[in-house]
Amino acid sequence: MSYLSSDKAEAELAQSIKKATSPDETAPKQKHIRRCIVYTWDHHSSALIWSGLKVQPILADEVQTFKALIMVHKILKDGHPVVLKDGLRETAWIETCARSVAGDGSRGYGSLIRNYVELLLHKLNYHRQHPEFNGTFEYEEYISLKNIDDPNEGYETISDLMSLQDRIDQFQKRVFAHFRPSSNNECRIAALVPLVEESYGIYKFITSMLRAMHRRTDAVDALSELRARYNSQHYALLRFYYECSNLRYLTSLISVPKLPQDPPSLIDSDTPSLP
Amino acid sequence: MSVPGKGVLRSVKNYAKGYSDMQIKVREATSNDPWGPSGTIMNEIAQATFNNNDFTEIMDMIDKRLNDKGKNWRHVFKSLTLLDYCLHVGSENVVSYAKENMYVVKTLKEFQHIDDNGKDVGANVRQKAKDITNLLSDEVRLRDERNQRAQMRDRMAGVENI
């Protein structure tokens, strides 16, 4: 529901985009990003956000580019499903972000930006191939949309999703590696927030889906490869969340999920489902 | 400014902006006063959601308050409280409206505000937003809790009639 005339809404949106991608080396403020997300739901469109991003002088400054990528990630994740479709048309612009910084840049965001771009393109590509997913990977909605009667298709979905999870893991490691002792790293930590949420969404999805597949097919052997991969991803996530839980700034924003020490059983149906 | 002063200012604003009685009530319930909305006023508002005309006005105002800025975090927090209450005892319209506009609440899960004393007051809002999102996505629990409230109300009404 929108109470503002469209002119005023547009002006406010432009303001929010500008403020979210300001040149200060801080986290992009959630209130500005929230306004963009709410806009996509109110108007069922994200066209103005992309054009707004393009008119800002974002590419000239590495911090601004990085903040723009965080914002893009968040609106892809939490915005109206139409944002994913629009995002697929904007891949060329996302690619130019990666080319905007030479080397590591003066403030060390160069390789972070290039990696973030890679991750976002990978994510968008995943959504292109599996259009039945929403941005946050909610299992219930997927199941209600699609009956996973075809085990081959389910296998592929999970395997592709695991590749995306691996990408997230690579990127988070790089973010941690680029922390600088001299600063509070707020801007870099801000990128971890959507990563934690997304990786947990994917983790929950894979867990439910693998359990369902184990119940359905008798081919426990055929799934052994996925099980092995699931287990190693569990330990990787455990480490990632542990490291995140030591960042005061991050834990003040979101609660970092707590995983059990060992991966939950996929075969035993008595194990409680995840929160 | 002292608290009574603020109250006067609010009634002037109510008059100047030409708010309806119901909107004034919602503004009262979700004001910046440092105490929670009273049960009586929340109940009145929740009952009014059964009237279609009032319903629109109430949701309109709650929506405005929910989108308020960080400094007015109490507006946001109290609107969430009020919304939660209306979800439990208000009309069915509140439930369908809240579901359709879930993103407004969902995006508040990362609400941030540090007040002048350096206290993180956003945490209250984040927790409340999380609770409501969970409630809205759990159809069974929502039905359960609404039924329980309705039964309790019936029992109480019975006592009154004796």
Side-chain angles (χ1 to χ4, degrees):
Chain A
M1 272 196 130
S2 166
Y3 308 96
L4 303 166
S5 66
S6 58
D7 277 358
K8 203 172 168 206
E10 279 174 31
E12 275 196 357
L13 183 71
Q15 265 302 315
S16 303
I17 297 172
K18 194 172 163 194
K19 285 185 175 162
T21 58
S22 70
D24 313 323
E25 195 175 351
T26 52
K29 278 213 181 114
Q30 173 64 13
K31 65 174 168 186
H32 305 308
I33 292 180
R34 174 172 184 271
R35 187 146 279 164
C36 295
I37 295 173
V38 170
Y39 180 90
T40 67
W41 289 94
D42 282 344
H43 299 263
H44 294 216
S45 154
S46 66
L48 276 175
I49 298 182
W50 299 100
S51 58
L53 280 172
K54 283 176 205 164
V55 297
Q56 305 293 330
I58 283 169
L59 299 179
D61 182 290
E62 54 190 291
V63 172
Q64 277 183 285
T65 314
F66 192 65
K67 283 165 86 169
L69 291 174
I70 296 177
M71 174 160 147
V72 167
H73 193 186
K74 285 196 164 180
I75 58 169
L76 286 175
K77 199 166 75 58
D78 297 322
H80 187 272
V82 77
V83 184
L84 286 174
K85 286 203 192 81
D86 291 348
L88 278 167
R89 281 196 290 273
E90 302 290 345
T91 47
W93 179 78
I94 299 178
E95 277 166 10
T96 45
C97 290
R99 288 195 294 271
S100 65
V101 216
D104 221 12
S106 53
R107 283 191 277 186
Y109 282 91
S111 74
L112 284 181
I113 289 171
R114 281 188 294 277
N115 272 275
Y116 211 160
V117 167
E118 252 172 60
L119 174 67
L120 290 178
L121 292 177
H122 190 98
K123 177 180 160 73
L124 281 169
N125 197 29
Y126 185 85
H127 286 290
R128 190 202 308 273
Q129 278 160 8
H130 304 273
E132 62 280 4
F133 276 97
N134 65 6
T136 44
F137 300 100
E138 273 157 20
Y139 181 67
E140 307 302 329
E141 279 179 43
Y142 176 82
I143 290 306
S144 61
L145 249 162
K146 214 172 150 90
N147 280 317
I148 29 155
D149 285 334
D150 182 3
N152 287 324
E153 202 189 329
Y155 192 96
E156 200 131 302
T157 304
I158 295 181
S159 153
D160 287 354
L161 208 46
M162 284 178 164
S163 311
L164 181 58
Q165 187 81 302
D166 285 341
R167 288 291 179 117
I168 294 178
D169 194 52
Q170 273 169 24
F171 180 59
Q172 62 87 3
K173 284 199 182 114
R174 192 166 291 256
V175 174
F176 274 103
H178 276 74
F179 278 179
R180 295 198 162 175
S182 53
S183 83
N184 61 4
N185 292 314
E186 206 182 279
C187 187
R188 293 178 180 84
I189 293 173
L192 294 173
V193 174
L195 291 181
V196 168
E197 292 171 338
E198 187 153 292
S199 64
Y200 192 56
I202 295 175
Y203 176 78
K204 279 201 298 193
F205 184 92
I206 295 180
T207 310
S208 316
M209 183 101 171
L210 272 179
R211 277 187 181 151
M213 280 177 73
H214 276 91
R215 266 200 304 276
R216 223 164 268 207
T217 52
D218 320 312
V220 178
D221 293 342
L223 294 172
S224 66
E225 199 183 315
L226 287 186
R227 272 201 307 279
R229 230 175 138 190
Y230 175 80
N231 289 347
S232 72
Q233 287 197 339
H234 174 91
Y235 290 116
L237 271 187
L238 196 67
R239 238 188 340 270
F240 173 35
Y241 295 159
Y242 172 73
E243 276 162 18
C244 284
S245 63
N246 292 327
L247 301 172
R248 275 261 326 267
Y249 177 68
L250 190 134
T251 51
S252 75
L253 290 183
I254 51 169
S255 49
V256 180
K258 275 208 167 58
L259 300 187
Q261 192 56 45
D262 293 311
S265 163
L266 299 166
I267 302 161
D268 184 7
S269 52
D270 292 338
T271 7
S273 58
L274 297 158
Chain B
M1 195 189 283
S2 67
V3 174
K6 266 190 172 170
V8 171
L9 187 66
R10 189 156 59 236
S11 50
V12 169
K13 257 193 195 162
N14 285 339
Y15 181 73
K17 296 212 171 177
Y19 288 127
S20 71
D21 289 351
M22 199 35 76
Q23 285 177 312
I24 291 173
K25 212 166 256 175
V26 177
R27 277 167 59 80
E28 187 71 48
T30 58
S31 69
N32 244 336
D33 300 333
W35 52 82
S38 78
T40 335
I41 199 164
M42 286 206 292
N43 193 21
E44 276 172 25
I45 294 170
Q47 290 313 308
T49 59
F50 287 94
N51 174 324
N52 276 338
N53 212 357
D54 288 343
F55 169 76
T56 329
E57 283 182 358
I58 291 168
M59 287 305 151
D60 188 83
M61 190 51 76
I62 289 185
D63 191 274
K64 270 201 193 107
R65 293 291 215 193
L66 282 178
N67 289 310
D68 221 323
K69 49 187 166 195
K71 195 166 67 98
N72 290 332
W73 65 273
R74 281 200 184 91
H75 287 174
V76 183
F77 179 68
K78 287 198 207 170
S79 322
L80 287 172
T81 313
L82 180 62
L83 180 65
D84 192 28
Y85 189 90
C86 290
L87 278 174
H88 282 96
V89 303
S91 83
E92 199 58 40
N93 284 344
V94 180
V95 178
S96 44
Y97 173 91
K99 276 196 181 148
E100 209 167 293
N101 297 291
M102 190 143 107
Y103 60 91
V104 175
V105 178
K106 222 177 181 174
T107 44
L108 286 174
K109 285 202 280 191
E110 282 174 49
F111 184 91
Q112 291 165 48
H113 185 68
I114 313 282
D115 72 4
D116 299 338
N117 306 323
K119 195 168 163 262
D120 178 17
V121 289
N124 302 322
V125 175
R126 292 198 292 272
Q127 188 53 44
K128 197 96 201 158
K130 219 178 281 171
D131 292 347
I132 296 182
T133 320
N134 288 344
L135 179 68
L136 283 174
S137 33
D138 189 345
E139 184 64 29
V140 181
R141 196 183 122 208
L142 182 62
R143 290 293 138 221
D144 249 31
E145 292 189 8
R146 278 179 69 82
N147 281 340
Q148 263 177 28
R149 292 287 192 120
Q151 274 171 17
M152 172 126 104
R153 193 167 278 271
D154 288 347
R155 275 211 302 277
M156 297 305 207
V159 173
E160 237 167 65
N161 288 339
I162 296 170

